[in-house]
Amino acid sequence: MSDQSLIHGDAPTASEAVARYETIQPRLPQARFPEVSVHRAHLEELCDEFDCFVLDGFGVLNIGAETVPGAVERVLALKAKGKQVRVLTNGASFPVTVTRAKYHRWGLDFEESDVISSRDALAREMAAHAEKCWGFAALAESELGRLAPQHVLLQDDAADYERCDGFVLLGTGNWSPARQQLLKVSLAARPRPVLVGNPDLVAPQSGGLSREPGLYAHDIADCQMVMPTFFGKPFDNAFAVVRETVEGIDPQRIAMVGDTLHTDILGGAQAGWRTVLVTDHGLLKGLDVEQAIQSSGIRPDFIIPTT
């Protein structure tokens, strides 16, 4: 399975996305995993195991713009039991202030330090390169000036690509195969850094799976022009930001909760935390979960159908 077949045509299927994750696994971090997974019904049944729950967004709290059934009530119940709750999302298109406002509308009043995104890890890196002009795959509303004083919103003009010192794949909601080709042609002529603000290949939406920046980044890596630098799960730079907010908690009492083996579960394991896979709302919905685990070699400590 190559990115070319996933970039063109209809939206990727879950089985295609899982297969693509397996082909790019050598580029991902390494970790150790338990020999068996314990099955439970939902997160409240794990309260004796953990003091802090770090939740993915898409597939755990929401599917697109809609909340996962019961997720809001579950988070409130965890907090009522004295558990710390964080959100660690690879959604990078907007600052976390926007994400927190969305959660607030759903009845989840997270503190500023409770919601962390891959964009936060990316911002730390970009602050050291403020003199450069960065070309962004992003939305016009992505507040790019907060990441790079000098920036270009990449669209369909080849000249825009040529004047950039580097590129950032931040959000690909309006990216296209034609724009991807413009980027690749520019990189082939003059290699420059490519930073990736969201390592996900796909994300669950109400109408299916959306194509995310990681999908396009690994297409670039396949061409061997430049190796992109990734910010977000499963890479430790995102977990390092979370660790600053959970100091004093035994890592084995922290749960990384997510729907994707190669981002949430692999990332949580490499961070030294235990992991919880949610199966019924995200990437693995409708697939043979055990087969996916065995094929990837990425095994969660716990498996629950719903948040």
Side-chain angles (χ1 to χ4, degrees):
M1 179 64 61
S2 71
D3 269 352
Q4 286 300 303
S5 61
L6 297 181
I7 287 171
H8 297 270
D10 296 334
T13 66
S15 59
E16 288 173 338
V18 170
R20 180 56 176 158
Y21 268 120
E22 291 185 6
T23 67
I24 58 96
Q25 194 164 334
R27 298 174 183 150
L28 304 181
Q30 301 295 308
R32 298 179 62 182
F33 305 99
E35 294 184 1
V36 296
S37 301
V38 177
H39 289 258
R40 293 288 184 265
H42 49 68
L43 288 179
E44 278 189 87
E45 292 192 356
L46 297 174
C47 281
D48 290 343
E49 299 281 345
F50 299 106
D51 300 317
C52 178
F53 292 84
V54 181
L55 310 179
D56 182 27
F58 281 63
V60 175
L61 290 176
N62 59 290
I63 306 166
E66 302 296 324
T67 59
V68 166
V72 171
E73 293 79 7
R74 194 79 65 205
V75 171
L76 295 176
L78 292 175
K79 288 189 170 186
K81 293 175 183 284
K83 303 301 177 181
Q84 294 194 36
V85 180
R86 303 286 186 273
V87 177
L88 176 57
T89 174
N90 276 354
S93 290
F94 304 103
V96 291
T97 51
V98 176
T99 307
R100 285 178 58 223
K102 175 181 68 176
Y103 294 152
H104 177 76
R105 292 193 297 272
W106 294 340
L108 295 173
D109 293 325
F110 288 111
E111 299 293 331
E112 181 177 355
S113 62
D114 292 343
V115 181
I116 299 96
S117 80
S118 54
R119 179 173 172 137
D120 297 321
L122 171 69
R124 295 184 176 193
E125 172 67 18
M126 297 198 71
H129 304 283
E131 77 287 355
K132 292 185 177 181
C133 178
W134 293 94
F136 281 84
L139 302 175
E141 304 82 13
S142 292
E143 301 186 40
L144 301 180
R146 299 178 65 170
L147 289 171
Q150 302 181 69
H151 62 270
V152 177
L153 180 63
L154 298 174
Q155 296 184 323
D156 302 314
D157 187 346
D160 284 340
Y161 295 73
E162 293 311 305
R163 64 191 181 95
C164 295
D165 299 314
F167 301 98
V168 182
L169 301 180
L170 189 70
T172 46
N174 61 1
W175 201 239
S176 67
R179 292 175 181 179
Q180 179 75 354
Q181 185 60 26
L182 284 172
L183 175 57
K184 290 165 65 176
V185 168
S186 183
L187 286 170
R190 182 163 58 96
R192 281 152 288 169
V194 176
L195 310 183
V196 186
N198 179 350
D200 289 354
L201 303 184
V202 297
Q205 308 288 343
S206 57
L209 297 175
S210 59
R211 295 179 174 94
E212 299 300 324
L215 188 68
Y216 298 95
H218 285 287
D219 175 46
I220 291 170
D222 286 347
C223 296
Q224 299 183 341
M225 294 175 292
V226 62
M227 177 55 66
T229 302
F230 295 87
F231 298 87
K233 299 172 294 182
F235 299 90
D236 196 61
N237 44 50
F239 293 88
V241 181
V242 180
R243 278 196 290 270
E244 294 174 7
T245 77
V246 295
E247 292 180 0
I249 300 178
D250 181 346
Q252 286 293 292
R253 298 283 298 177
I254 301 174
M256 179 65 228
V257 183
D259 70 298
T260 305
L261 292 170
H262 290 83
T263 57
D264 306 306
I265 304 308
L266 173 58
Q270 69 80 33
W273 303 345
R274 288 191 289 168
T275 58
V276 183
L277 178 68
V278 180
T279 60
D280 285 8
H281 307 294
L283 180 60
L284 297 179
K285 180 181 179 180
L287 300 185
D288 186 328
V289 174
E290 186 58 32
Q291 179 180 341
I293 291 171
Q294 292 187 14
S295 180
S296 66
I298 300 171
R299 178 170 290 280
D301 293 277
F302 296 91
I303 297 174
I304 56 177
T306 189
T307 309

